[in-house]
Amino acid sequence: MTRTDSPDRQFLADYRPYPFILEQTRLEFTLAPDATRVRADLTFRPRNGSEDLLLDGGKDLHLISLTIDGREPAADQVTRDDERLVIAAAALPDGQFTLSTEVEINPSANTAFEGLYISNGMFCTQCEAEGFRHITFYPDRPDVMAPFQVTIHSDQPVLLSNGNPVRQEEGLAEWHDPWPKPAYLFALVAGDLVAIKDRFTTASGRDVALNVWVRPGDEDRAGFAMESLIKSMKWDEDVYGREYDLDVFNIVAVDDFNMGAMENKGLNIFNSKLVLASPETATDADYERIESVIAHEYFHNWTGNRITCRDWFQLCLKEGLTVFRDQQFTSDMRSASVKRIGDVQALRARQFREDQGPLAHPVRPEEYEEINNFYTATVYEKGAEVIGMLKRLVGDDGYARALDLYFKRHDGEAATIEDWLKVFEDATGRNLAQFKRWYTDAGTPRLTMRETWENGRLTLHFTQHTPPTPGQNDKPPRVIPIAVGLIGPNGDEIEPTRMLEMSEAEQEFSFDGLGARPVVSALRGFSAPVILERDIDDATRAFLLAHDTDPFARWETGRELALHALTALSQGKDGGADYIGAIGQLVADEDADPAFRALCLNLPGEEEIATRLYAAGVIPDPDAIHDARNRLARRMAEAHANLLSAIYDQMVVPGPYSPDADSAARRALRISALGLLTRIDGGERAEVLFGITSNMTERMAALICLVRRGRGGVALSALHDQFKDNRLVMDKWFTVQPMAAPPADAIAIARQLSERRDFDWKNPNRFRALLGGLAANHAGFHAADGKGYDFLAEWLMKMDPVNPQIAARMSTAFETWPRYDENRRKRALAALERMAAMKGISRNLREMVTRMIAAGE
């Protein structure tokens, strides 16, 4: 199958406006686990002339009644198939009319968690991207927007929907959302819940009631989520001038949820792991993630809700911008440099891999088969990088003017990337036609830099090239902002950060009047999502590691030193001496941020090493990579044993646990030191720490160290006995065992865990915990006998009929299969072909698998 021959494929070029304006949506729910009734009264007005009325709605909708202005149309005027209902134009009045339908649905049978479903007795919805069509017949597309009035009948004690409550009594609730919205932003929750309550007064004086709804017994773990919400609301006012626009803001924690969270207008629904936290159950990373995602979904109120996307091809319009905003927020709340480095690490680990494989696609794709498969790192994280580049090019003032114009011009509209770029052109006077290629062209540009030095002039010569990706071969040059600085021979900065703007395939920039040849600090702050290639030796890297003033560039230099050593070691060559010496000097710098020192101390992961080898034309050997990384880590520990021991002792955080940035930074450095020390002490410190610490951050760090050393049995049993009834902690328990196990044991451990009664595989978090843990064990998953491929394929085929979204997303573990040796390629391809041949395979999984199979052709 080619990428364009599926009858389900959608194309950006085929977009046309919906032929009817939806003026009002009124919904009435009578909730019952097996037979929920949904009445919908939809008031339409034709745009131009007379056309058939097309409504989305699956075969899971049992149609009870349908009338137009109270009259039932003729039977031959209404047709339906498994995906839509069509009312002939002849049955429709010339002007405004109301379509009324009543359907019955079965939330209990909804294991895909798309539409209205039940999670542990609680009714819940998830409608992005196309879940509303599983609730009732509706024009389920983002450019059809209307105000919603919702009535809920149920014996559940708490009944929630979007907007403001207008009536609350026993067994009934009415909600009114005055802001027009598409169906994907609809939400309903009904269940036995309790709320953590607070209030917020906006800059203009609006009093807003805030609620974080959780199950009884979880109240003591919801306080940090409320704190994060309040900080987010204040930050959005201060930085973007955006106030909240309703009288109430609700967050609900749900145990069964396919994604992280959803920004439904006024009623954000969250995966419980991104709401619930206490020192005993959540790590520092959990706390930071909660803070970030709470902010992300709140920021969507303006960048996603008040201004939404015209069609799903424009998904990056709301997601890329909102990710960029939540990155800014976290940078302001914590360490900006550490946040930037973390974002780049995540981008390279997920998005660069995506760009270089069979699943590559533009930030704004031009076609798709299943939209749920395009909630990707390219749309989100690379989309955010594109916003960052745009801000660097127009400056802070230009960015602020453009955003103000964007909110003014498009409030209440469903917009496009063209609308977004036009705002910047109008606000700043720049022509962004070439910049638009960042949205339309897939792939990661490769930027090559070389230097010439003559008579006090340093000239930097750049070339850019973007390799072919599926469906796209020749790629014109893009606009690339390149931040550089110059370091003198004595280590002083002689040229502060200067932004070079590259727009040609080849371009050069000169620096004049220099007394001595400087060392170039390039791509500071990771000013563009490119791969920078330059001829530089380890001695120069060590110099930059010691003297560069840009935190990202300094970290990057250490990363390059480490990768240079690890790629050499994995090929049986010598390497690592320069890196070990330089990293010791950096980590010993007590004036540096502990979180930054921790990042520098952590070696690149095995997946990153494999990517680097493959890019250099070397077939990566997962076992050799694993061995090389272990050997370099041990050499680091042996060389700096005294320093690491001192850091481990000095970075103890006194007093009660706090998730604040400074305390988390100290713990991060202490844990990084522990990971190396475990290589030489056999796990003694980790065993002691696990037994005495009271916070989950240090307990999980110690547990990982012990599992890696083959000493995790007692600690795993202790954690299980203490937290066997806590689903979120047990998810960690399931993850750490296959992830940290010796590669030879990983698959057997994963299989053993999958046979346990508490492996609730239909719960997305638990499924991701186990299968994601195995996939994170690079050498374990890519075992030469193919058992890792077989095990994952077996579970994806089992999950697909139950929850296609989760199966498709977890299938990306196969994404890099073509880069390995012939034996592994053969075994991975066989697993992919078994899935492709599965009877009844979902559209979600089929698209992913066929794209990955095509990469080997």
Short mmCIF file of all heavy atoms in Angstrom, two decimals, residues 20 44-46 49-51 68-69 71 87-99:
data_model
loop_
_atom_site.label_atom_id
_atom_site.label_comp_id
_atom_site.label_asym_id
_atom_site.label_seq_id
_atom_site.Cartn_x
_atom_site.Cartn_y
_atom_site.Cartn_z
N PHE A 20 -23.17 24.72 6.10
CA PHE A 20 -24.17 25.25 7.02
C PHE A 20 -23.47 25.94 8.19
O PHE A 20 -22.38 25.53 8.61
CB PHE A 20 -25.05 24.12 7.56
CG PHE A 20 -25.88 23.43 6.50
CD1 PHE A 20 -25.34 22.38 5.77
CD2 PHE A 20 -27.18 23.85 6.23
CE1 PHE A 20 -26.09 21.75 4.80
CE2 PHE A 20 -27.93 23.21 5.26
CZ PHE A 20 -27.38 22.16 4.53
N PHE A 44 -29.40 25.21 12.55
CA PHE A 44 -28.54 25.45 11.39
C PHE A 44 -29.10 26.60 10.54
O PHE A 44 -30.29 26.90 10.57
CB PHE A 44 -28.48 24.21 10.50
CG PHE A 44 -27.67 23.09 11.06
CD1 PHE A 44 -28.30 21.97 11.62
CD2 PHE A 44 -26.29 23.11 11.00
CE1 PHE A 44 -27.56 20.91 12.10
CE2 PHE A 44 -25.53 22.05 11.49
CZ PHE A 44 -26.17 20.95 12.05
N ARG A 45 -28.22 27.17 9.76
CA ARG A 45 -28.60 28.13 8.71
C ARG A 45 -27.72 27.85 7.50
O ARG A 45 -26.48 27.77 7.63
CB ARG A 45 -28.41 29.57 9.20
CG ARG A 45 -28.72 30.64 8.16
CD ARG A 45 -28.85 32.01 8.83
NE ARG A 45 -27.73 32.33 9.68
CZ ARG A 45 -26.59 32.89 9.25
NH1 ARG A 45 -26.44 33.17 7.97
NH2 ARG A 45 -25.62 33.19 10.10
N PRO A 46 -28.30 27.69 6.30
CA PRO A 46 -27.48 27.42 5.11
C PRO A 46 -26.54 28.59 4.81
O PRO A 46 -26.89 29.76 5.01
CB PRO A 46 -28.51 27.24 4.00
CG PRO A 46 -29.81 26.98 4.69
CD PRO A 46 -29.74 27.72 5.99
N GLY A 49 -27.17 28.60 -0.88
CA GLY A 49 -27.94 27.64 -1.64
C GLY A 49 -28.36 26.43 -0.83
O GLY A 49 -28.41 26.45 0.39
N SER A 50 -28.64 25.36 -1.54
CA SER A 50 -29.21 24.16 -0.92
C SER A 50 -28.25 22.99 -1.14
O SER A 50 -27.90 22.66 -2.27
CB SER A 50 -30.57 23.85 -1.55
OG SER A 50 -31.10 22.67 -1.02
N GLU A 51 -27.84 22.36 -0.04
CA GLU A 51 -26.96 21.19 -0.11
C GLU A 51 -27.44 20.15 0.89
O GLU A 51 -28.18 20.47 1.84
CB GLU A 51 -25.51 21.56 0.21
CG GLU A 51 -24.85 22.47 -0.81
CD GLU A 51 -23.34 22.55 -0.63
OE1 GLU A 51 -22.73 21.50 -0.31
OE2 GLU A 51 -22.78 23.65 -0.79
N ILE A 68 -36.94 17.44 11.76
CA ILE A 68 -36.48 18.76 11.30
C ILE A 68 -37.62 19.72 11.55
O ILE A 68 -38.71 19.57 10.99
CB ILE A 68 -36.11 18.72 9.80
CG1 ILE A 68 -34.99 17.70 9.57
CG2 ILE A 68 -35.70 20.11 9.32
CD1 ILE A 68 -34.73 17.40 8.11
N ASP A 69 -37.38 20.67 12.44
CA ASP A 69 -38.44 21.59 12.89
C ASP A 69 -39.67 20.82 13.34
O ASP A 69 -40.82 21.19 13.07
CB ASP A 69 -38.80 22.58 11.77
CG ASP A 69 -37.72 23.62 11.53
OD1 ASP A 69 -36.88 23.83 12.44
OD2 ASP A 69 -37.69 24.21 10.44
N ARG A 71 -40.74 17.88 12.42
CA ARG A 71 -41.35 16.94 11.48
C ARG A 71 -40.32 15.90 11.05
O ARG A 71 -39.15 16.21 10.81
CB ARG A 71 -41.88 17.68 10.24
CG ARG A 71 -43.07 18.60 10.55
CD ARG A 71 -43.70 19.10 9.26
NE ARG A 71 -42.74 19.91 8.49
CZ ARG A 71 -42.59 21.23 8.67
NH1 ARG A 71 -43.30 21.88 9.58
NH2 ARG A 71 -41.73 21.88 7.92
N ILE A 87 -28.74 13.87 5.30
CA ILE A 87 -30.12 14.28 5.08
C ILE A 87 -30.17 15.05 3.77
O ILE A 87 -29.44 16.03 3.57
CB ILE A 87 -30.62 15.17 6.24
CG1 ILE A 87 -30.49 14.41 7.57
CG2 ILE A 87 -32.06 15.62 6.00
CD1 ILE A 87 -30.84 15.25 8.78
N ALA A 88 -31.00 14.61 2.88
CA ALA A 88 -31.07 15.20 1.55
C ALA A 88 -31.50 16.65 1.61
O ALA A 88 -32.31 17.04 2.47
CB ALA A 88 -32.02 14.40 0.66
N ALA A 89 -30.97 17.45 0.70
CA ALA A 89 -31.31 18.88 0.66
C ALA A 89 -32.80 19.10 0.52
O ALA A 89 -33.36 20.07 1.06
CB ALA A 89 -30.56 19.55 -0.50
N ALA A 90 -33.48 18.19 -0.16
CA ALA A 90 -34.93 18.35 -0.36
C ALA A 90 -35.70 18.30 0.94
O ALA A 90 -36.83 18.81 1.02
CB ALA A 90 -35.42 17.25 -1.30
N ALA A 91 -35.12 17.73 1.99
CA ALA A 91 -35.81 17.63 3.27
C ALA A 91 -35.58 18.84 4.15
O ALA A 91 -36.20 18.96 5.22
CB ALA A 91 -35.34 16.38 4.01
N LEU A 92 -34.74 19.78 3.70
CA LEU A 92 -34.34 20.91 4.55
C LEU A 92 -35.06 22.19 4.15
O LEU A 92 -35.23 22.47 2.94
CB LEU A 92 -32.83 21.13 4.44
CG LEU A 92 -31.94 19.92 4.76
CD1 LEU A 92 -30.48 20.26 4.50
CD2 LEU A 92 -32.15 19.47 6.20
N PRO A 93 -35.49 23.00 5.11
CA PRO A 93 -36.08 24.31 4.80
C PRO A 93 -35.07 25.23 4.14
O PRO A 93 -33.85 25.01 4.21
CB PRO A 93 -36.50 24.84 6.18
CG PRO A 93 -36.56 23.64 7.07
CD PRO A 93 -35.53 22.70 6.56
N ASP A 94 -35.55 26.28 3.51
CA ASP A 94 -34.66 27.21 2.82
C ASP A 94 -33.83 28.04 3.81
O ASP A 94 -32.70 28.40 3.51
CB ASP A 94 -35.48 28.16 1.92
CG ASP A 94 -36.11 27.41 0.75
OD1 ASP A 94 -35.57 26.34 0.39
OD2 ASP A 94 -37.13 27.88 0.23
N GLY A 95 -34.41 28.38 4.94
CA GLY A 95 -33.70 29.21 5.91
C GLY A 95 -33.29 28.44 7.15
O GLY A 95 -32.96 27.25 7.09
N GLN A 96 -33.32 29.12 8.28
CA GLN A 96 -32.91 28.51 9.54
C GLN A 96 -33.82 27.34 9.90
O GLN A 96 -35.03 27.38 9.66
CB GLN A 96 -32.96 29.55 10.65
CG GLN A 96 -32.47 29.06 12.00
CD GLN A 96 -32.67 30.09 13.10
OE1 GLN A 96 -33.74 30.18 13.70
NE2 GLN A 96 -31.65 30.89 13.34
N PHE A 97 -33.23 26.28 10.47
CA PHE A 97 -34.03 25.14 10.90
C PHE A 97 -33.32 24.46 12.07
O PHE A 97 -32.13 24.67 12.32
CB PHE A 97 -34.23 24.13 9.76
CG PHE A 97 -32.96 23.52 9.24
CD1 PHE A 97 -32.47 22.32 9.78
CD2 PHE A 97 -32.24 24.13 8.21
CE1 PHE A 97 -31.30 21.75 9.31
CE2 PHE A 97 -31.06 23.56 7.75
CZ PHE A 97 -30.59 22.38 8.29
N THR A 98 -34.07 23.65 12.81
CA THR A 98 -33.52 22.90 13.94
C THR A 98 -33.64 21.42 13.67
O THR A 98 -34.74 20.90 13.43
CB THR A 98 -34.25 23.26 15.24
OG1 THR A 98 -34.03 24.64 15.54
CG2 THR A 98 -33.73 22.41 16.40
N LEU A 99 -32.50 20.77 13.69
CA LEU A 99 -32.44 19.32 13.57
C LEU A 99 -32.42 18.73 14.97
O LEU A 99 -31.56 19.10 15.79
CB LEU A 99 -31.19 18.89 12.81
CG LEU A 99 -30.90 17.39 12.81
CD1 LEU A 99 -31.91 16.64 11.95
CD2 LEU A 99 -29.48 17.09 12.34
#
